[in-house]
């Protein structure tokens, strides 16, 4: 948690020095998450959610910086048929994500954003129907890095809606001498409310 606080505070404090306006808000929504890369052809999306806090640091009418701290439920699910019986297995990966988006407002209210996201793994579990859970923490990297692309609309009152795609750029597994690599991929949609 110290790493999260340090990154967030540095970005917020440095950016605020020359910012014209700083808004604070909360946000939340749904995740459609999966795992991409080698050997993932049979994986489906895990439907889950995310929630957290957000700052928007404005630089004039067109540009802004948006750091966030989010709890995000990610992973994937898969169905397998064994001896005529279908089982569902789920990989549940929970992260604290810290995206830092550079936003552009081409027209009033509508914005596009792009930036890095740093994820810090909280828990990793594999669950198969009828067979309980297995802890995967020892197999996972503690830190994930993704590229976030965001589209959204914000009203003058501070209420907004958004859609986002987070594309992982590092291997989520920490397996020595592994010849394969896998990344997180998450589609998000939700609402945000800025307090003014």
């Amino acid at each position: 948690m110290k790493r999260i606080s340090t990154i967030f505070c540095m970005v917020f404090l440095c950016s605020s020095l020359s910012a014209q306006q700083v808004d604070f808000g909360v946000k939340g929504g749904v995740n459609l998450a999966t795992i991409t890369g080698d050997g993932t052809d049979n994986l489906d999306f895990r439907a889950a959610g995310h929630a957290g806090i957000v700052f928007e640091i404005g630089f004039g009418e067109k540009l802004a910086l948006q750091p966030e701290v989010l709890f995000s439920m990610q992973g994937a699910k898969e169905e397998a048929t064994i001896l005529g019986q279908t089982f569902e297995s789920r990989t549940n990966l929970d992260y604290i994500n810290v995206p830092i988006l550079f936003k552009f407002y081409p027209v009033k209210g509508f914005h596009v954003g792009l930036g890095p996201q740093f994820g810090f793994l909280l828990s990793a579990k594999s669950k198969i129907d009828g067979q309980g859970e297995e802890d995967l923490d020892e197999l996972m990297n503690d830190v994930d890095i993704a590229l976030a692309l965001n589209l959204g609309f914000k009203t003058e009152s501070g209420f907004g809606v958004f859609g986002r795609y987070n594309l992982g750029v590092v291997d989520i597994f920490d397996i020595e001498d592994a010849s394969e690599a896998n990344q997180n991929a998450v589609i998000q949609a939700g609402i945000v409310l800025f307090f003014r």
Side-chain angles (χ1 to χ4, degrees), residues 87-104:
F87 297 89
E88 182 179 87
S89 66
R90 291 178 297 280
T91 301
N92 297 334
L93 307 177
D94 294 336
Y95 288 90
I96 292 292
N97 286 335
V98 183
I100 303 171
L101 298 181
F102 300 90
K103 296 172 65 176
F104 173 63

Side-chain angles (χ1 to χ4, degrees), residues 36-107:
T36 62
D38 299 310
T40 59
D41 293 342
N42 296 325
L43 294 184
D44 292 323
F45 287 99
R46 176 195 181 196
H50 67 276
I53 62 173
V54 53
F55 290 88
E56 184 179 73
I57 304 164
F59 302 93
E61 295 183 359
K62 298 289 188 181
L63 298 176
L65 185 69
Q66 183 168 301
E68 306 172 1
V69 178
L70 305 173
F71 173 72
S72 183
M73 295 181 285
Q74 300 172 197
K77 71 177 184 177
E78 180 180 10
E79 287 189 352
T81 302
I82 303 174
L83 299 177
Q85 188 171 1
T86 300
F87 297 89
E88 182 179 87
S89 66
R90 291 178 297 280
T91 301
N92 297 334
L93 307 177
D94 294 336
Y95 288 90
I96 292 292
N97 286 335
V98 183
I100 303 171
L101 298 181
F102 300 90
K103 296 172 65 176
F104 173 63
Y105 285 84
V107 295

Side-chain angles (χ1 to χ4, degrees), residues 13-46:
L13 291 175
C14 292
S15 300
S16 297
L17 294 176
S18 58
Q20 294 184 359
Q21 181 176 340
V22 179
D23 292 331
F24 166 77
V26 294
K27 66 181 299 185
V30 297
N31 286 353
L32 288 177
T34 191
I35 297 171
T36 62
D38 299 310
T40 59
D41 293 342
N42 296 325
L43 294 184
D44 292 323
F45 287 99
R46 176 195 181 196

Side-chain angles (χ1 to χ4, degrees), residues 5-195:
S5 301
T6 301
I7 292 172
F8 191 76
C9 288
M10 286 178 61
V11 170
F12 180 76
L13 291 175
C14 292
S15 300
S16 297
L17 294 176
S18 58
Q20 294 184 359
Q21 181 176 340
V22 179
D23 292 331
F24 166 77
V26 294
K27 66 181 299 185
V30 297
N31 286 353
L32 288 177
T34 191
I35 297 171
T36 62
D38 299 310
T40 59
D41 293 342
N42 296 325
L43 294 184
D44 292 323
F45 287 99
R46 176 195 181 196
H50 67 276
I53 62 173
V54 53
F55 290 88
E56 184 179 73
I57 304 164
F59 302 93
E61 295 183 359
K62 298 289 188 181
L63 298 176
L65 185 69
Q66 183 168 301
E68 306 172 1
V69 178
L70 305 173
F71 173 72
S72 183
M73 295 181 285
Q74 300 172 197
K77 71 177 184 177
E78 180 180 10
E79 287 189 352
T81 302
I82 303 174
L83 299 177
Q85 188 171 1
T86 300
F87 297 89
E88 182 179 87
S89 66
R90 291 178 297 280
T91 301
N92 297 334
L93 307 177
D94 294 336
Y95 288 90
I96 292 292
N97 286 335
V98 183
I100 303 171
L101 298 181
F102 300 90
K103 296 172 65 176
F104 173 63
Y105 285 84
V107 295
K108 189 173 183 179
F110 177 77
H111 59 267
V112 295
L114 182 68
Q117 174 177 274
F118 305 94
F120 303 90
L121 185 68
L122 296 178
S123 69
K125 298 185 183 299
S126 175
K127 184 173 183 179
I128 301 176
D129 286 344
Q131 299 186 31
E133 286 186 335
E134 180 182 355
D135 199 326
L136 301 177
D137 286 342
E138 293 185 359
L139 301 176
M140 308 297 298
N141 275 318
D142 293 333
V143 177
D144 183 44
I145 300 175
L147 181 64
L149 174 63
N150 190 88
L151 298 174
F153 183 83
K154 184 178 72 170
T155 66
E156 291 186 3
S157 67
F159 176 80
V161 294
F162 67 91
R164 182 176 298 177
Y165 181 61
N166 300 322
L167 175 64
V169 296
V170 298
D171 192 357
I172 61 173
F173 292 103
D174 183 17
I175 302 174
E176 190 174 352
D177 299 326
S179 59
E180 300 181 343
N182 299 105
Q183 299 81 31
N184 282 308
V186 185
I187 299 170
Q188 297 180 322
I191 61 173
V192 59
L193 179 61
F194 287 98
F195 303 104

